[in-house]
């Protein structure tokens, strides 16, 4: 394998499964199909389209996505039990590139309180589910739910056993968003060494401590080669690792993170917009990469630098993520440079004295408001310049 191949990170998108199973995010089959097309444009490697045993809608979504996008690798989720695995296999019956993703919890806390099963029982059920899935498809992924709170020796035992049973990908989720990057990297490094080339180690991080992206990136540095993530970081509770953040971190800081994905990053913003249209909320304004303020500059010092040379305050070319350009927001922290620039965009060429007068009026207005709109700036310019003409 070449170094380039070794450093290829697969993007497993779970917007339509983990993302969809969070409050305010459920989608109809038609909506999932629209989103699936966008995810295909984006170039995700694996698209998890649903949890077929959960509902007829999820079953249909997996079937339809696989039918409409035959070139995409489509995954269906299944608990590690016969009914789930068979239902997942059925939903993928016509898929050209099917993957069954089966999971069971491995931490003692889940075994004792949720599953009420012994470690041995869980190990046997994991292996049986993988073997059963392999009877229908070649591509089987196994997830050890709550891996980060699982005894590492037992986790390694389960991981080796499912690979021997035919799993090609072993996913080690930080299900409750509890891990920190150094700790997660240690776990991933150990499992990647244990599995070697026999399986791809995958990561799936939740954002309960705001560390999902950092944990995923640390895991890649430690040997993981699949990241499970969602557009806008939607997902259970605080969400999943944000696809756009993880991908852009590896692209922008490729000097420190020499990994690559198949993502066409100029589709990131359109994908984020479409998702926001389909569910009940969009990303928060200050969300990295796709938030409304991600490329907005308000402080005067920043605006001055940005107008002279964009790279002073922008580390990402907005066009590379599908946003036409950065923007200057005019508010009380803005300076004359930005105001003059905006006035000239609005068609006004001001003398120094006019600019000073408009600037004073602008600051007085901005002090009373959260931001000043273009039409208000135009009105200020008209008022100030008319007054100046009258005074002549
Ligand atoms: O968070 C989790 O552990 C999951 C698994 C089903 C992969 O979503
Ligand atoms: Zn999850």
């Amino acid at each position: 394998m070449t170094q380039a191949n070794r450093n290829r990170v697969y993007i497993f998108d779970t917007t339509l499964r983990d993302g969809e199973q969070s409050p305010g995010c459920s989608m109809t089959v038609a909506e999932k199909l629209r989103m699936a097309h966008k995810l295909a444009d984006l170039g995700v490697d694996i698209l998890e389209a649903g949890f077929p045993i959960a509902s007829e809608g999820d079953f249909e979504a997996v079937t339809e996505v696989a039918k409409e996008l035959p070139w995409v690798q489509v995954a269906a989720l299944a608990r590690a039990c016969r009914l789930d695995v068979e239902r997942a296999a059925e939903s993928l019956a016509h898929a050209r590139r099917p993957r069954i993703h089966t999971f069971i919890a491995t931490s003692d806390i889940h075994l004792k309180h949720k599953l009420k099963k012994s470690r041995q029982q869980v190990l046997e059920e994991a292996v049986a589910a993988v073997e059963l899935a392999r009877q229908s498809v070649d591509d089987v992924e196994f997830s050890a739910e709550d891996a980060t709170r699982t005894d590492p020796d037992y986790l390694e035992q389960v991981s080796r056993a499912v690979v021997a049973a035919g799993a090609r990908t072993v996913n080690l989720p930080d299900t409750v968003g509890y891990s920190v990057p150094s700790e997660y990297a240690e776990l991933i490094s150990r499992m990647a060494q244990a599995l070697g080339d026999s399986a791809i180690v995958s990561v799936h991080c939740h954002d309960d401590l705001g560390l999902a992206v950092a944990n995923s990136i640390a895991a890649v540095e430690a040997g993981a080669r699949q990241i499970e993530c969602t557009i806008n970081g939607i997902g259970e509770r605080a969400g999943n690792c944000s696809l756009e953040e993880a991908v852009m971190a590896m692209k922008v800081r490729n000097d420190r993170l020499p990994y690559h994905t198949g993502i066409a990053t100029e589709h990131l913003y359109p994908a984020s917009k479409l998702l926001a249209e389909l569910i009940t909320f969009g990303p928060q304004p200050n969300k990295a990469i796709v938030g409304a303020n991600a490329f907005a500059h308000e402080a005067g010092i920043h605006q001055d630098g940005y107008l002279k040379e964009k790279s002073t305050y922008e580390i990402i070319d907005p066009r590379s993520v599908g946003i036409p350009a950065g923007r200057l927001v005019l508010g009380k922290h803005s300076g004359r440079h930005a105001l003059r620039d905006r006035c000239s965009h609005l068609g006004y060429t001001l003398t120094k004295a006019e600019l000073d007068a408009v600037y004073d009026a602008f600051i007085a207005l901005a002090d009373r408001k959260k931001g000043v709109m273009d039409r208000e700036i135009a009105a200020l310019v008209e008022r100030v310049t008319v007054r100046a003409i009258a005074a002549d």
Side-chain angles (χ1 to χ4, degrees):
M1 200 188 281
T2 64
Q3 195 55 33
N5 287 345
R6 285 201 177 279
N7 286 354
R8 171 74 156 84
V9 174
Y10 295 100
I11 298 297
F12 176 114
D13 180 273
T14 185
T15 306
L16 303 183
R17 198 281 295 169
D18 208 323
E20 201 239 0
Q21 77 189 42
S22 58
C25 295
S26 70
M27 288 175 244
T28 63
V29 174
E31 288 167 339
K32 278 196 176 188
L33 274 171
R34 272 185 77 192
M35 195 64 213
H37 275 279
K38 222 3 133 220
L39 294 168
D41 293 345
L42 191 58
V44 303
D45 296 292
I46 303 106
L47 197 166
E48 187 166 55
F51 188 8
I53 196 83
S55 72
E56 282 302 320
D58 262 35
F59 181 93
E60 208 187 316
V62 174
T63 304
E64 293 305 314
V65 168
K67 258 195 219 157
E68 273 203 30
L69 302 165
W71 65 93
V72 176
Q73 211 168 332
V74 177
L77 186 69
R79 283 167 301 188
C81 61
R82 176 169 288 278
L83 267 184
D84 278 39
V85 172
E86 285 177 348
R87 192 76 177 136
E90 216 185 311
S91 72
L92 291 166
H94 303 288
R96 204 175 296 160
R97 302 182 66 202
R99 172 179 292 194
I100 293 180
H101 174 194
T102 186
F103 74 99
I104 190 164
T106 48
S107 66
D108 286 338
I109 195 165
H110 278 235
L111 265 59
K112 179 171 174 211
H113 301 289
K114 186 180 82 173
L115 300 177
K116 302 187 192 316
K117 288 180 177 162
S118 68
R119 286 185 178 185
Q120 186 56 31
Q121 263 175 304
V122 164
L123 176 69
E124 285 166 14
E125 288 177 22
V127 166
V130 170
E131 283 172 351
L132 181 63
R134 277 301 303 262
Q135 288 172 19
S136 309
V137 299
D138 284 341
D139 186 0
V140 174
E141 170 173 337
F142 173 78
S143 282
E145 191 189 7
D146 207 17
T148 52
R149 294 191 300 170
T150 298
D151 167 21
D153 291 336
Y154 177 58
L155 188 64
E156 185 175 329
Q157 189 190 0
V158 173
S159 301
R160 287 181 186 275
V162 292
V163 171
R168 288 185 176 173
T169 304
V170 175
N171 185 37
L172 303 169
D174 186 25
T175 303
V176 289
Y178 179 71
S179 208
V180 298
S182 52
E183 179 190 32
Y184 198 43
E186 229 172 81
L187 178 73
I188 297 299
S189 170
R190 170 174 174 175
M191 297 304 157
Q193 273 171 39
L195 300 181
D197 287 336
S198 64
I200 288 182
V201 173
S202 164
V203 291
H204 175 115
C205 298
H206 281 270
D207 208 29
D208 300 66
L209 292 174
L211 293 170
V213 174
N215 280 335
S216 302
I217 296 292
V220 167
E221 290 183 283
R225 286 296 176 267
Q226 175 177 284
I227 298 181
E228 301 198 354
C229 47
T230 60
I231 299 293
N232 294 347
I234 66 167
E236 282 281 2
R237 303 181 310 280
N240 284 72
C241 169
S242 144
L243 182 153
E244 55 278 5
E245 292 177 23
V247 166
M248 288 310 289
M250 290 184 280
K251 180 168 176 166
V252 175
R253 292 311 310 275
N254 206 251
D255 56 328
R256 299 295 298 235
L257 302 168
Y259 311 103
H260 58 279
T261 69
I263 296 295
T265 59
E266 63 281 5
H267 288 281
L268 287 171
Y269 186 64
S272 163
K273 290 286 278 183
L274 176 63
L275 180 65
E277 205 184 291
L278 298 178
I279 61 174
T280 56
F281 57 91
Q284 78 267 21
N286 62 340
K287 164 88 172 57
I289 317 295
V290 292
N293 293 349
F295 297 95
H297 309 269
E298 174 160 341
I301 296 169
H302 291 211
Q303 292 179 335
D304 179 36
Y306 176 83
L307 285 170
K308 287 173 177 150
E309 166 52 43
K310 292 194 172 61
S311 63
T312 52
Y313 286 101
E314 250 176 26
I315 59 158
I316 302 170
D317 179 345
R319 289 168 303 183
S320 71
V321 297
I323 296 174
R327 64 192 174 94
L328 301 184
V329 176
L330 291 182
K332 68 175 183 177
H333 305 107
S334 303
R336 280 178 174 69
H337 291 100
L339 183 62
R340 184 180 27 226
D341 183 69
R342 182 64 56 86
C343 288
S344 86
H345 274 106
L346 294 172
Y348 302 104
T349 311
L350 303 179
T351 63
K352 177 161 183 327
E354 284 170 339
L355 179 64
D356 285 346
V358 173
Y359 185 71
D360 289 345
F362 161 77
I363 290 294
L365 178 64
D367 237 349
R368 303 194 302 270
K369 300 192 76 225
K370 300 271 180 242
V372 181
M373 318 284 274
D374 282 355
R375 61 180 158 71
E376 294 171 309
I377 294 170
L380 283 182
V381 174
E382 298 289 345
R383 214 173 63 222
V384 168
T385 49
V386 165
R387 224 185 274 148
I389 292 166
D392 274 351

